[in-house]
Amino acid sequence: MPHNQGKIYGSFKKICIPESDLKAEAEIIKADLLKIQFCYNEKTISECEVAFQIILLYLERRVKRHPFLRMGKKLPKREYVNDFLEVVRFYGMPDTVRYALWKWQLKEWDIRLIDYNPTSLEMLQTQSQGIRFATISWEEAISGNLVEGKRDAFEHLLHDLAHAYMFFREDYDFFGQKKFFKSMLDDFQNYQMYLEENPIFKEKFEYCISDMNSHPAHLNAYWNAIRKEAGIPIYELNQNT
């Protein structure tokens, strides 16, 4: 949780700002955000380019000097999104975000930009199809509020893109993750009773299906562990996919 009792944690803490400063920032960048939102609503640019423009807007606002690292090469104009993403490195964040944007722009990774927070079941359904959502919370971005009391809208988008990287990256077995989530979806009804009766299991279950991307061996180990902890019989995941 990046914002917790006034302190900032997580992979993006270098480019996060205090919650108390968010509203002032939002007022400064509001006009630019509204222009990007208009492009998103009217579909005049791609979803990836929307996310790209949002990241540039916030990064250049929060990092006054050298928001971009050139890696020894001259940066192409940002209008050439593919070329720009191929050589740029963003200050203060793991390269997972830049790489996910690049693969998205190349149409090699199926990332979808949405403007609402999906349910855990929606996340399970889309990941079982090989799709990963990234969310831009326009209302929170424009108002300067935290998304679900945890992250500002900028960091929330970065978090989703980092998860997309973990979902699609080859050495984390994308097809194995997709199969795991498809099996979870197929067997979902077996666990509905436990989800209704056990709030702790529900919380961990929803984390597993919506906010956890890792190698399938790790996913299966976590899934077995939370069922064992809750005293739930371990059914074999559906393997007919």
Side-chain angles (χ1 to χ4, degrees):
M1 183 184 298
H3 287 268
N4 187 8
Q5 297 181 350
K7 296 183 179 180
I8 300 174
Y9 301 89
S11 303
F12 305 105
K13 62 183 180 181
K14 286 185 178 180
I15 49 174
C16 287
I17 63 174
E19 183 180 357
S20 57
D21 294 342
L22 290 175
K23 291 188 182 299
E25 177 190 61
E27 190 61 33
I28 293 170
I29 65 174
K30 181 177 180 179
D32 291 316
L33 281 172
L34 289 173
K35 289 178 184 178
I36 301 172
Q37 184 185 30
F38 177 83
C39 293
Y40 172 78
N41 290 336
E42 297 298 316
K43 297 180 170 54
T44 57
I45 59 176
S46 71
E47 292 178 357
C48 179
E49 289 172 315
V50 170
F52 175 68
Q53 289 191 17
I54 291 168
I55 290 172
L56 295 189
L57 176 63
Y58 275 100
L59 196 58
E60 291 184 304
R61 174 65 198 169
R62 294 186 180 184
V63 183
K64 303 302 183 185
R65 295 184 60 189
H66 309 304
F68 312 119
L69 309 177
R70 296 182 297 172
M71 302 304 291
K73 298 180 181 180
K74 183 179 179 180
L75 281 180
K77 293 182 179 180
R78 62 186 65 193
E79 290 80 9
Y80 303 107
V81 180
N82 281 348
D83 295 338
F84 189 89
L85 288 171
E86 188 172 353
V87 301
V88 76
R89 296 297 182 273
F90 296 134
Y91 173 83
M93 67 180 78
D95 197 42
T96 53
V97 171
R98 191 275 317 175
Y99 195 84
L101 278 172
W102 182 47
K103 288 291 191 179
W104 187 6
Q105 180 68 12
L106 292 173
K107 297 181 171 59
E108 294 181 11
W109 290 359
D110 195 351
I111 303 172
R112 311 281 179 91
L113 187 67
I114 58 176
D115 58 0
Y116 65 95
N117 291 318
T119 66
S120 57
L121 183 57
E122 284 179 284
M123 290 296 296
L124 178 60
Q125 290 168 334
T126 52
Q127 290 188 115
S128 73
Q129 298 167 15
I131 300 166
R132 196 58 166 80
F133 282 148
T135 296
I136 171 59
S137 300
W138 295 112
E139 182 178 345
E140 285 79 6
I142 293 167
S143 65
N145 291 317
L146 294 178
V147 179
E148 297 182 332
K150 298 177 182 178
R151 298 179 170 88
D152 65 57
F154 174 46
E155 201 273 344
H156 191 68
L157 176 60
L158 300 181
H159 171 84
D160 282 349
L161 289 172
H163 267 282
Y165 174 86
M166 301 295 283
F167 184 50
F168 289 106
R169 60 183 284 187
E170 184 176 352
D171 58 335
Y172 267 43
D173 190 0
F174 162 68
F175 291 104
Q177 287 193 64
K178 180 180 173 181
K179 184 176 181 179
F180 172 84
F181 291 121
K182 179 64 166 60
S183 297
M184 292 276 292
L185 182 62
D186 290 342
D187 289 337
F188 184 80
Q189 63 181 0
N190 292 332
Y191 300 98
Q192 286 183 312
M193 178 182 69
Y194 302 105
L195 294 170
E196 294 170 0
E197 296 177 352
N198 188 331
I200 296 176
F201 173 70
K202 180 181 179 181
E203 180 181 358
K204 294 181 178 181
F205 177 87
E206 291 186 343
Y207 170 74
C208 182
I209 66 175
S210 66
D211 202 31
M212 185 177 183
N213 293 108
S214 185
H215 192 279
H218 183 205
L219 292 171
N220 275 301
Y222 178 83
W223 177 221
N224 288 336
I226 65 173
R227 284 182 291 177
K228 182 178 180 180
E229 179 185 57
I232 298 171
I234 297 179
Y235 301 101
E236 289 299 323
L237 284 175
N238 191 322
Q239 296 298 325
N240 299 320
T241 56

